[in-house]
Amino acid sequence: MAESRLEKLAKAAEVYGERSFDNYAQVRSIAEQIRESFCDYLSEDHQCVFLVPPQGPFMAQNYRSMAYSVAGKGFLPLEPISFGLAVNISGEGDYMRLVLTCRKEGDRMFIMMEDALTFEVDLPMDKEAVKKINEALYNHLNGWFTDRVKQYDEGEYRSGDIGFDIQRIDD
């Protein structure tokens, strides 16, 4: 007896589900590596980077599966996935959220930060790639502050800039 259309559809959906879970697992692994290594890169003494949702309010804590743009969507979509990194910027309770979006293509992951900076890494991600990402994240954050100070000091503000999500979080 031939397979029904429903059975064929169910098999296609099963393959889709397997790939979407693999995509999520790969992105989650990358996000965890970036969070842990960037925190170590900034300070060996303090927990200073957390995985947070890419949008909305957040606290200084790791949100686990809720840190990803696909959280709460029911059937896990096969699409690029975003997550937030809450980075302590003051040594106190001030955090800046960076949003990263990951897109898997074959054995490579493309990581886009704030709709601009893109990293292309082989999977699994090696220590050299992690080091380059840490340096780029740090330079991006540091550059954001120094550029704003320069604009202020020289009296020239640019418009149309993407603002960062900075908030004080009281413990």
Side-chain angles (χ1 to χ4, degrees), residues 74-112:
F75 199 84
L76 193 59
L78 186 53
E79 62 186 24
I81 298 174
S82 299
F83 59 91
L85 289 178
V87 181
N88 187 296
I89 56 170
S90 65
E92 303 285 325
D94 300 303
Y95 285 82
M96 178 181 281
R97 175 171 34 204
L98 293 173
V99 176
L100 283 74
T101 301
C102 296
R103 183 183 81 246
K104 184 179 178 297
E105 292 183 10
D107 291 334
R108 302 191 64 72
M109 186 71 72
F110 295 84
I111 306 167
M112 187 168 27

Side-chain angles (χ1 to χ4, degrees), residues 86-157:
V87 181
N88 187 296
I89 56 170
S90 65
E92 303 285 325
D94 300 303
Y95 285 82
M96 178 181 281
R97 175 171 34 204
L98 293 173
V99 176
L100 283 74
T101 301
C102 296
R103 183 183 81 246
K104 184 179 178 297
E105 292 183 10
D107 291 334
R108 302 191 64 72
M109 186 71 72
F110 295 84
I111 306 167
M112 187 168 27
M113 180 177 63
E114 302 295 337
D115 297 326
L117 188 58
T118 301
F119 306 98
E120 183 178 335
V121 298
D122 291 321
L123 296 174
M125 193 165 62
D126 64 17
K127 289 182 181 183
E128 190 60 33
V130 172
K131 180 181 174 186
K132 287 179 183 178
I133 291 170
N134 287 337
E135 290 170 356
L137 291 173
Y138 174 78
N139 289 335
H140 185 70
L141 287 170
N142 193 52
W144 188 86
F145 286 108
T146 56
D147 185 50
R148 284 354 170 250
V149 169
K150 182 180 174 186
Q151 289 174 28
Y152 174 78
D153 288 348
E154 295 176 5
E156 183 179 321
Y157 294 100

Side-chain angles (χ1 to χ4, degrees), residues 19-35:
R19 298 303 190 283
S20 62
F21 182 77
D22 177 66
N23 182 53
Y24 172 74
Q26 294 279 352
V27 170
R28 190 162 178 174
S29 174
I30 294 261
E32 289 287 348
Q33 288 177 64
I34 291 171
R35 185 211 54 81

